Amino acid sequence: MSPKHGLYIHIPFCRAKCDYCDFCSIKSAHVPSWYLEKLSLEMKEYEGIQIDTLYVGGGTPSLLSPDQLLSLTEHVRRCFGKEWVEATLEANPEDLTEESLIAFRKAGFNRLSVGVQSFDEKKKNFLGRRSPDHLIVRLLKAREVFENLSLDLIFGVPGESFDAEWEHLDKVSPDHVSWYNLKIEKGTPLYRDLSAGKKRLPDDDEQADSYALICEGLRRRGWLRYEISNFARSGFESNHNLKYWHFTPYIGCGASAAGFAAGLMMQNSSDLSLYRKGKGKSRRLLTSGEEREIQIMMGLRLEKGVILKDKELKAVHSATEEMRPFFLLEGKTLKIRPELFFVSNSLILRLLEIIFPEKKI
């Protein structure tokens, strides 16, 4: 039996855009009705495909009104079935009220992912974020309502301390933590500040030290790393995101959303005017070799690694001396050494060159 698909829905609207953000989002106090109508039409194109995970991300999906949320998930059920193992909604902390949390559950979401980014106000100032009033009270209320709660955090800010992060993580006790290294994207306000010398970033060694501290601190508290930036208590790994890392089928609806199935990569335009007109969607049929490269590249982000085919295994064996300091080979399973996850990108690229010498990766 073919695996069920995951469904990702992108809501590209935010009250304000963060200084570091390069995601597809525009400033708006609400989600316009035309966007929900367009999503409904787009989902009908995939009607009949069975899904077992739903992920509504953004942007700020918690901008959706209770009626809009309910309408959206009802349409998902009509098009894709009702048996979801996991349904995740991304939310900003300021949207966590008793009424909204009840609305999230009523719409069918059983997992909440909250974009905290940091509990440290100095770090938030650097990132261009502000904490809402009563942040911890809001998060504790979400903790009461959702049996599967995830928090997003960021590291890689100069002079950062983790005291506030540990204190409040211990209080809230989420089931899952995504802790990302700050990435600087051209054209963002933070990029301009860095280019002008108004701000600076810690060097690579400092960032590697912070990452090691994060991994160890989370491990001691029971959140185990299962992907480079993702940590969970046992049984609370993100089923939806695992579809990306295992490179199994998923559907993407909404501006900029991407999908993959039957060797076909698809992505909607990030230009809202083009998306509204149904234009700008890209499609590319991958060769079997390209598909396998992506499977290996994504799989090596996981703590469990990736199972190699015989030909790939032979190529790795032929470069054993070069690979041994960086990778662990257990039978046919190849893993990046745990202490080297922070520099995984360069290691993965080198490995792909060894396995696929005929390709220019």
Side-chain angles (χ1 to χ4, degrees):
M1 181 182 293
S2 298
K4 290 186 177 181
H5 290 54
L7 172 62
Y8 174 77
I9 297 175
H10 190 70
I11 307 296
F13 303 97
C14 291
R15 291 187 186 86
K17 200 169 176 77
C18 300
D19 288 356
Y20 57 86
C21 180
D22 191 42
F23 292 148
C24 173
S25 64
I26 62 171
K27 188 175 179 180
S28 177
H30 66 282
V31 179
S33 58
W34 72 259
Y35 191 78
L36 275 295
E37 292 166 5
K38 180 62 184 174
L39 281 175
S40 298
L41 291 172
E42 188 178 9
M43 282 189 270
K44 282 191 70 66
E45 297 174 15
Y46 300 98
E47 191 168 6
I49 294 174
Q50 294 295 297
I51 67 167
D52 59 2
T53 64
L54 168 65
Y55 195 109
V56 182
T60 308
S62 50
L63 278 180
L64 290 160
S65 70
D67 287 344
Q68 285 179 320
L69 265 180
L70 195 58
S71 174
L72 180 66
T73 53
E74 284 177 349
H75 199 83
V76 172
R77 291 185 178 94
R78 284 196 296 272
C79 290
F80 303 107
K82 302 177 181 179
E83 301 302 317
W84 309 335
V85 172
E86 178 186 275
T88 303
L89 179 74
E90 288 185 353
N92 273 4
E94 58 264 33
D95 295 326
L96 303 182
T97 65
E98 188 166 356
E99 293 77 12
S100 68
L101 289 165
I102 291 170
F104 299 162
R105 290 308 306 265
K106 185 178 179 182
F109 293 96
N110 58 15
R111 183 174 185 271
L112 189 67
S113 178
V114 184
V116 174
Q117 314 316 344
S118 179
F119 291 102
D120 186 316
E121 290 305 317
K122 288 184 179 178
K123 189 186 293 187
K124 281 199 165 186
N125 287 337
F126 183 92
L127 296 170
R129 296 272 297 195
R130 298 291 181 271
S131 290
D133 294 337
H134 312 298
L135 171 61
I136 300 304
V137 173
R138 293 170 185 270
L139 292 174
L140 289 173
K141 177 58 69 173
R143 170 74 286 177
E144 290 176 12
V145 175
F146 279 85
E147 65 274 12
N148 194 342
L149 177 67
S150 179
L151 302 185
D152 279 7
L153 298 169
I154 288 176
F155 76 95
V157 171
E160 63 188 343
S161 165
F162 293 95
D163 294 344
E165 318 293 28
W166 299 133
E167 177 188 352
H168 295 306
L169 279 173
D170 288 340
K171 282 182 184 176
V172 178
S173 190
D175 307 289
H176 185 282
V177 178
S178 297
W179 210 324
Y180 301 105
N181 192 190
L182 177 62
K183 187 177 180 183
I184 307 303
E185 302 286 359
K186 287 186 177 180
T188 61
L190 183 53
Y191 175 84
R192 291 193 290 271
D193 284 347
L194 290 166
S195 299
K198 295 179 181 178
K199 292 181 178 179
R200 71 166 191 88
L201 291 181
D203 62 29
D204 290 345
D205 288 340
E206 290 176 288
Q207 293 188 51
D209 289 344
S210 290
Y211 180 68
L213 188 154
I214 286 166
C215 292
E216 177 57 21
L218 289 174
R219 185 195 64 79
R220 290 200 314 269
R221 290 166 168 82
W223 292 290
L224 301 182
R225 182 177 63 188
Y226 69 100
E227 190 271 345
I228 291 172
S229 302
N230 287 271
F231 308 77
R233 301 196 191 280
S234 180
F236 286 94
E237 297 84 358
S238 170
N239 289 294
H240 182 84
N241 287 338
L242 281 167
K243 291 182 183 293
Y244 302 144
W245 297 318
H246 289 307
F247 205 48
T248 55
Y250 55 92
I251 298 165
C253 292
S256 82
F260 166 75
L264 186 66
M265 291 288 295
M266 298 162 284
Q267 183 159 18
N268 290 330
S269 174
S270 58
D271 183 320
L272 257 67
S273 63
L274 289 178
Y275 174 73
R276 188 173 186 176
K277 296 172 184 175
K279 296 181 178 180
K281 186 170 187 172
S282 65
R283 295 175 176 84
R284 186 166 78 91
L285 187 63
L286 302 178
T287 66
S288 58
E290 288 173 328
E291 190 171 335
R292 184 58 183 160
E293 288 169 26
I294 297 172
Q295 286 174 346
I296 292 172
M297 181 172 62
M298 298 300 285
L300 282 171
R301 295 181 60 89
L302 295 168
E303 192 86 15
K304 291 182 177 179
V306 65
I307 298 174
L308 298 179
K309 297 178 180 178
D310 289 342
K311 184 178 179 182
E312 298 159 357
L313 199 60
K314 185 177 179 180
V316 170
H317 279 306
S318 70
T320 296
E321 291 306 311
E322 181 183 349
M323 294 288 97
R324 185 179 289 119
F326 310 110
F327 293 90
L328 294 171
L329 186 61
E330 300 171 354
K332 291 187 175 183
T333 300
L334 188 70
K335 307 175 183 180
I336 295 174
R337 290 185 178 274
E339 67 273 18
L340 297 175
F341 262 66
F342 188 70
V343 292
S344 60
N345 286 346
S346 58
L347 297 179
I348 292 171
L349 288 175
R350 177 58 188 139
L351 177 71
L352 291 177
E353 290 173 349
I354 290 169
I355 293 178
F356 303 101
E358 71 283 2
K359 297 282 291 184
K360 290 186 177 180
I361 306 300

